[in-house]
Amino acid sequence: MAQDRTMIDWDDVRYFLAVARGGSVRAAAGRLGVNHATVLRRIAQLEERLGAQMFEKLPSGYRMTAAGEEVLELAEQMEASSLQLETRVFGRDQGVRGLLRVTLAPPLAVHLLMPDFADFARLHPDIEMEILSSGELANLTNREADVAIRVVYDRKTLPLNLHGLKGPEIFGGVYISRDRLAAWRAGAPDPFRWIVISRHGVPDWVGEGEVRAAGVPFRVTDAEAQIAAVRQGLGMTTLPCFVGDADPLLARAPGFDLHLYGTVWSLTQGETRKTKRVQLFTEFVSRRLAAHAPLLAGRSGSRD
């Protein structure tokens, strides 16, 4: 316990150096971007830990005591070591190796980007990739992931502390199985159900299309079950065009317009975005997303 009480806090030393170099608490506060009281508290903490007074307060400013002069030399050595450590670690992080964690919604991972992720992994075999695909997206600020690929409807909802690369827009449509569509065109009387993920519910515009749906929906809890249900001919559902148009068992329901889901963004945060592996990945995935733009916009084929 005695050792813990006397252990020097590097942050306290930074404040000491700022006062020593600036000659006043005000100058130190301005340099460090903090208030006057914070600087005084940090200096007091250092003096308490060392058991010596570091400065004398004079009308002209702060002057170091003899103890402060001794501490200054060691403090500058600590600063040099800290900078060397940061440079070495950051330089190593510029190598194309290490862990890369990417968070995104499951449909984007499963139905669109997994082949691209595989290509990236083959290009950079020393990068360990971890794909976090779930309904709950990881938090970049808490370092739960390095890159987030998100569909954002309103750009203003993006956190201000994230750096973003804007990608293409994603549109969705209404899809049914090809067999059910053929049966409907042949005059089959069976009603269509709306297949919905429970938390979303039935869209407000369900009555706009040519194909009429029954009032009782069919509910599922996830996107893969939703796709399986529509393949089985249970009814209609809304899907991103990159899912529905790419599925040979599905077709667009006639009479429904496409609707905008949002825009794809590749998001990074803070110093993480400066690492080489993150830069390589975000540039790579941005190019691949641009190439997918026709599919994402529903222009790759009508499928009806």
Side-chain angles (χ1 to χ4, degrees):
M1 292 298 293
Q3 184 179 6
D4 289 342
R5 285 197 298 268
T6 58
M7 189 174 293
I8 301 301
D9 186 337
W10 163 239
D11 273 339
D12 292 342
V13 176
R14 287 196 307 114
Y15 283 80
F16 166 78
L17 285 170
V19 175
R21 290 164 177 168
S24 71
V25 171
R26 177 175 295 180
R31 180 172 182 172
L32 295 170
V34 297
N35 59 41
H36 188 275
T38 299
V39 177
L40 289 174
R41 177 171 55 82
R42 288 288 192 166
I43 296 300
Q45 285 179 184
L46 182 62
E47 290 177 337
E48 182 179 357
R49 288 175 185 273
L50 294 177
Q53 186 176 351
M54 299 293 103
F55 299 98
E56 295 178 45
K57 189 177 186 307
L58 303 174
S60 58
Y62 280 71
R63 183 176 67 186
M64 277 189 292
T65 63
E69 294 284 357
E70 292 181 11
V71 170
L72 177 61
E73 181 179 356
L74 296 174
E76 289 176 337
Q77 292 176 14
M78 289 180 66
E79 182 183 52
S81 296
S82 176
L83 291 173
Q84 184 180 14
L85 175 64
E86 290 179 6
T87 301
R88 182 171 296 178
V89 171
F90 187 75
R92 178 175 293 178
D93 216 21
Q94 295 311 294
V96 189
R97 62 173 61 247
L99 176 63
L100 177 70
R101 295 164 299 174
V102 181
T103 176
L104 72 169
L108 284 172
V110 175
H111 296 280
L112 185 71
L113 290 175
M114 196 57 72
D116 301 308
F117 294 162
D119 287 344
F120 183 82
R122 283 188 285 267
L123 284 171
H124 303 287
D126 290 330
I127 295 179
E128 177 187 352
M129 294 191 68
E130 183 177 350
I131 304 302
L132 308 171
S133 58
S134 69
E136 297 296 326
L137 297 181
N139 189 314
L140 297 187
T141 303
N142 294 339
R143 300 296 301 275
E144 294 174 1
D146 302 307
V147 181
I149 301 173
R150 295 180 182 172
V151 179
V152 179
Y153 189 80
D154 184 357
R155 182 176 181 174
K156 295 178 181 178
T157 62
L158 286 174
L160 295 177
N161 65 322
L162 298 184
H163 176 79
L165 290 175
K166 184 180 179 181
E169 293 179 328
I170 291 184
F171 284 82
V174 178
Y175 292 87
I176 57 179
S177 75
R178 287 187 171 275
D179 290 344
R180 281 299 304 271
L181 178 60
W184 174 78
R185 285 174 171 162
D190 292 344
F192 288 86
R193 288 192 179 202
W194 274 97
I195 303 166
V196 296
I197 296 179
S198 297
R199 64 180 180 273
H200 294 159
V202 180
D204 296 334
W205 38 264
V206 295
E208 296 178 2
E210 296 177 27
V211 181
R212 300 300 175 185
V216 179
F218 185 89
R219 298 186 183 278
V220 294
T221 58
D222 61 83
E224 292 309 301
Q226 176 191 23
I227 295 167
V230 73
R231 285 173 178 162
Q232 290 299 315
L234 278 163
M236 301 181 291
T237 196
T238 58
L239 293 172
C241 293
F242 71 83
V243 176
D245 288 350
D247 193 319
L249 299 179
L250 304 183
R252 291 186 191 174
F256 291 97
D257 295 329
L258 298 183
H259 53 277
L260 177 66
Y261 276 105
T263 303
V264 188
W265 286 81
S266 298
L267 303 170
T268 53
Q269 193 271 337
E271 292 298 314
T272 302
R273 68 185 179 89
K274 299 178 182 178
T275 60
K276 188 67 173 177
R277 62 183 177 275
V278 170
Q279 290 178 345
L280 285 171
F281 178 78
T282 53
E283 291 168 3
F284 176 89
V285 81
S286 292
R287 292 194 298 270
R288 290 300 178 93
L289 285 169
H292 292 315
L295 178 61
L296 295 171
R299 299 195 305 267
S300 63
S302 64
R303 292 287 185 186
D304 56 17

